[in-house]
Amino acid sequence: MYDDESFLANTDFNWLAWYNLQTALKDSSGMDAGGISIQLNSKLVDFEEDEEEGIVRLHFANGEVVKTRMLIGADGYTSIVRKKTVADGEPIFTGTMTWRGVMDRSHFNKIVQIEPFKSIGDGVNLSIIGDGKNFWVMDCGKGKIAWTGTAIYDNENFTDKHAPANTIALKVFKDWPPIVETLIEATDASAIVQSGVYDREPVSSWGATEGK
């Protein structure tokens, strides 16, 4: 899973980029053998239960309607499933903004002069902790290096959302160690994800009907 030069090679550590996890789940699903149908790029917008037929009808943004015997709401903190079954309002902003980027390890090795790129006993490739801000760099498998920066803010509307994510990240982490600026500048702006960090209060039961 990890490159031979990664210190995570041949270990049980399993921090993965989401797309690598998605691929691993697909490969183990039996999809290729015709056991499971996987539909990507499909946005769920609504659903309803049909108790007579014992099914759930799923309505997607493209107008498609799919019937299923089971619906699992693993669709994020803005979950449509949770909105209808739990109805506990909007997600809670935690006061943290985050920026995330991914690049090829081969490109990383050309621009970052750290040999070897390894942790100093803390289990993380590289972590930089500052005043209300953090920056991490990690091997995420399949020849990729990922970085994540976080900063504390009162609300997610702290800046111009129309500005490129790399421009905002460079401003947030101005005067930090050179490796931070190097990695942000070396990552394609369109590949940098900027978002608020949200949370939800835990619930004891999910289901359209009590006990389901």
Side-chain angles (χ1 to χ4, degrees), residues 21-92:
L21 176 60
Q22 186 182 60
T23 299
L25 291 172
K26 180 187 76 68
D27 291 344
S28 62
S29 68
M31 176 185 177
D32 295 334
I36 295 178
S37 172
I38 297 178
Q39 295 176 260
L40 302 177
N41 299 317
S42 301
K43 182 180 180 180
L44 181 70
V45 295
D46 198 7
F47 69 93
E48 73 267 348
E49 289 187 290
D50 187 325
E51 294 187 1
E52 290 187 3
E53 290 191 34
I55 61 169
V56 182
R57 289 188 180 86
L58 311 180
H59 298 266
F60 293 92
N62 62 2
E64 184 178 8
V65 179
V66 175
K67 296 179 181 180
T68 182
R69 290 181 292 110
M70 181 181 295
L71 173 62
I72 299 174
D75 49 339
Y77 53 75
T78 58
S79 169
I80 295 296
V81 179
R82 181 169 182 142
K83 183 177 181 180
K84 291 194 69 171
T85 58
V86 180
D88 58 348
E90 297 299 315
I92 303 166

Side-chain angles (χ1 to χ4, degrees), residues 1-16 105 117-119 122-126 137-142 144-146:
M1 180 174 294
Y2 295 101
D3 300 323
D4 290 339
E5 65 265 36
S6 170
F7 78 100
L8 297 175
N10 302 315
T11 71
D12 293 329
F13 191 78
N14 59 359
W15 193 91
L16 294 174
R105 173 180 279 278
F117 182 57
K118 294 186 177 181
S119 163
D122 61 359
V124 178
N125 294 49
L126 178 66
V137 186
M138 296 190 72
D139 187 322
C140 59
K142 299 292 185 181
K144 300 290 184 180
I145 294 291

Side-chain angles (χ1 to χ4, degrees), residues 127-136 148-151 173 176:
S127 59
I128 305 172
I129 310 300
D131 184 13
K133 302 175 184 179
N134 299 305
F135 198 90
W136 296 277
T148 298
T150 65
F173 292 98
W176 270 51

